[in-house]
Amino acid sequence: MIVLALALTACTTDNGNVKDDTNTPPVENEKPGDDNSDADVPGEDMGQKYGEIKIKPMEAFDKYMETYPDTMVSKLELDKEMGKYVYQVEGFDAEKEYELKMDPVNGDVLKEDTDSDVIDDGDDDKEEAITKANVEKIEALIDKALNEAGKDANIDQWTLEVKNGKAILEVEIDKEGLDNVEYKYDVETGELVETDE
């Protein structure tokens, strides 16, 4: 009887509450479901910075030409999708339009697409093609735009296209707390032709 009484007493110590022997200290101010992970918050721009880009514009141009030889490039762009930069290269030949998307950090091809529903309107598309010489000038013009924008400027996106026979680089700059500013450069001369705030 004494042994049974001692056993029952040992099981019901702490006023009948079950003891937690995991030795885990309680976490203060922790909300249910909060695991303190680094998961992305929906709607929050994780803000990849331009300095993280490793692949040069010429490498994106060359990758497109390697993928679609005997075509011409009509547009070369660096844009953000879901807070991360993506190169998009568009091109054409007499029968089709082509698109290649590429990760500018590791060089992975994200998408290849061909559209054969091109309408031939008789225009000489060769005038609207981007050349290697145009692409070689992109980085210097981006540096120029960043200098124009001043401190704390970051590239939001840029686009190189030929419009009315002129290669134009549009650079959109993001500055913290301010509206984006867009600079348009004549690629051939390097002159600033327009600024939009």
Side-chain angles (χ1 to χ4, degrees), residues 68-130:
Y68 302 113
D70 303 321
T71 66
M72 292 173 274
V73 175
S74 58
K75 180 179 181 181
L76 177 58
E77 179 175 62
L78 181 77
D79 197 2
K80 276 191 176 177
E81 294 181 4
M82 306 291 288
K84 293 191 175 189
Y85 288 109
V86 175
Y87 276 123
Q88 180 173 326
V89 190
E90 296 177 9
F92 61 93
D93 61 17
E95 299 170 356
K96 298 177 183 177
E97 290 181 338
Y98 306 88
E99 178 186 32
L100 181 130
K101 287 189 176 184
M102 181 175 168
D103 186 312
V105 176
N106 59 27
D108 289 347
V109 173
L110 306 172
K111 178 182 177 184
E112 294 178 24
D113 192 26
T114 303
D115 183 3
S116 59
D117 296 334
V118 177
I119 300 170
D120 185 8
D121 57 7
D123 286 345
D124 183 9
D125 286 331
K126 289 183 181 178
E127 277 188 80
E128 300 299 306
I130 293 169

Side-chain angles (χ1 to χ4, degrees), residues 128-191:
E128 300 299 306
I130 293 169
T131 66
K132 273 195 156 196
N134 299 145
V135 178
E136 287 171 350
K137 296 180 180 182
I138 290 174
E139 291 183 89
L141 291 173
I142 288 169
D143 288 343
K144 191 173 185 178
L146 287 169
N147 286 334
E148 294 264 354
K151 189 179 175 186
D152 299 326
N154 190 49
I155 300 292
D156 189 51
Q157 69 177 50
W158 58 255
T159 306
L160 174 63
E161 288 183 284
V162 178
K163 298 178 179 181
N164 301 320
K166 281 190 172 185
I168 301 292
L169 181 69
E170 297 179 14
V171 183
E172 193 170 308
I173 301 283
D174 176 40
K175 289 186 76 170
E176 192 171 330
L178 300 173
D179 290 337
N180 287 4
V181 181
E182 187 177 279
Y183 299 93
K184 293 182 185 178
Y185 294 95
D186 180 324
V187 175
E188 193 63 36
T189 65
E191 291 179 17

Side-chain angles (χ1 to χ4, degrees), residues 19-72:
K19 288 180 115 180
D20 182 7
D21 290 331
T22 60
N23 293 328
T24 305
V27 179
E28 293 182 20
N29 299 327
E30 185 174 24
K31 297 175 186 165
D34 184 3
D35 62 357
N36 293 326
S37 67
D38 293 330
D40 293 350
V41 177
E44 184 177 303
D45 181 5
M46 297 310 289
Q48 187 177 39
K49 297 294 182 191
Y50 189 74
E52 296 174 43
I53 292 173
K54 306 286 185 247
I55 306 299
K56 307 280 187 195
M58 186 59 77
E59 293 174 87
F61 180 89
D62 288 343
K63 184 65 177 177
Y64 169 88
M65 295 306 296
E66 177 187 309
T67 307
Y68 302 113
D70 303 321
T71 66
M72 292 173 274

